[in-house]
Amino acid sequence: MTTAPGAGDAITVDAGRVDVLHRLALAVRPIDARTTGTAGGVRIGREAPAPGGPVRLLESHGAAGWVLRYGSGTGGVRSRVVVLRLDDPDRRFVPRRFRLPLWTLAELTGADGRPPTAAYVPAASRLLRPWLLPGVAYPVTGGVTGLRLRVTHRGAPVRWPRVEAFGAGGMRVGWAHGDEHGQVLLLVDGIGALAPPTPSVFDVVLRTAVPDPAAAVDPEDPLADLVVEDLPRSQAPPTDQDLDNPVLRGLALPPGYRSSTRDVLRSLTVGRVLPATDLPHT
């Protein structure tokens, strides 16, 4: 078996002295934004540096997530920065793309000789936990409140839109990402600041955001125009902000997105996901 550079060394961790069999560059554990559990069935790949190059899948470790290792073997990473692509062939989740710097092999092995990178870098500092928002085929259970939308601009669907919903008192009650057809499944939690008893029908204010200007569409790669969201490298040990923040949750608008100049009022029915209607972005 081919081992990664630095394998065969020994390091000291909390459990004591251990032998190194491989070097972990990055672990990715996608989160279902609705349940905050693991988003199953998602593919995670690493994009080639050159535009239009192949997307190489990371190693799948089932519920434990996907892994990128340092090494010279198939799939081993040598780059300092990677662009990751997360997508679901069954369309239960909306795809996302991320760019982030890695802890280098020299830093992990202490070969650069400079503290603090010469110290042990916890695995949690090499963990990415991005949230994936429900897609059009997401399994919606009974009693859930929401609506299906198609975001349009001048009558045409908008690729990769984002939608926020605000209830009474301006409280955010839900957010969603749209796919390449402008289709959005918006599921909400709560009704905002309305006093009890809970009404069966309540109003929400919808705010859209879309890429501006829209990127060119590559017929050979339907995800090529999906925005790449930049993330900083986690500290060692990681902070709470490293592992959970508005970018990872899909709340922060990526550069180049433009929010609507006018919000739209819609009525929701408690316990129902209403059928699709167009939502104009202005």
Side-chain angles (χ1 to χ4, degrees), residues 148-163 178-184 206-211 258-262 264 266 276-282:
R148 296 181 184 274
L149 302 162
R150 187 182 72 151
V151 177
T152 62
H153 180 58
R154 297 178 179 174
V158 178
R159 296 170 66 87
W160 315 118
R162 297 190 175 189
V163 181
D179 62 19
E180 72 272 30
H181 305 294
Q183 296 176 333
V184 177
L206 302 180
R207 182 172 301 157
T208 58
V210 303
R258 177 173 59 87
S259 294
S260 54
T261 58
R262 184 172 57 193
V264 177
R266 291 287 173 90
T277 58
D278 282 358
L279 177 63
H281 173 84
T282 56

Side-chain angles (χ1 to χ4, degrees), residues 144-148 185-188 267-269 271-275:
V144 173
T145 303
L147 71 166
R148 296 181 184 274
L185 174 59
L186 174 64
L187 305 177
V188 305
S267 294
L268 299 184
T269 301
R272 288 189 56 196
V273 176
L274 301 181

Side-chain angles (χ1 to χ4, degrees), residues 22-180:
H22 65 269
R23 292 286 182 180
L24 175 69
L26 184 69
V28 186
R29 191 175 302 154
I31 292 176
D32 179 336
R34 181 67 189 173
T35 67
T36 66
T38 300
V42 176
R43 299 180 302 191
I44 303 179
R46 173 168 56 96
E47 298 185 8
V55 177
R56 297 180 178 176
L57 291 180
L58 276 61
E59 299 176 40
S60 175
H61 286 239
W66 296 68
V67 167
L68 183 62
R69 305 172 190 256
Y70 277 110
S72 57
T74 302
V77 65
R78 301 180 183 179
S79 307
R80 294 182 62 93
V81 177
V82 293
V83 175
L84 300 177
R85 177 179 299 199
L86 297 81
D87 74 294
D88 177 13
D90 293 326
R91 305 185 74 83
R92 292 164 300 177
F93 299 99
V94 179
R96 297 187 72 182
R97 298 168 73 201
F98 296 97
R99 175 171 43 233
L100 70 158
L102 301 174
W103 286 91
T104 67
L105 184 59
E107 290 170 323
L108 297 180
T109 60
D112 60 357
R114 297 192 308 271
T117 57
Y120 171 63
V121 178
S125 297
R126 293 168 273 165
L127 174 63
L128 179 67
R129 300 193 302 185
W131 292 40
L132 299 182
L133 278 294
V136 293
Y138 187 85
V140 179
T141 57
V144 173
T145 303
L147 71 166
R148 296 181 184 274
L149 302 162
R150 187 182 72 151
V151 177
T152 62
H153 180 58
R154 297 178 179 174
V158 178
R159 296 170 66 87
W160 315 118
R162 297 190 175 189
V163 181
E164 289 182 282
F166 300 91
M171 294 178 58
R172 182 192 292 114
V173 294
W175 74 96
H177 293 180
D179 62 19
E180 72 272 30

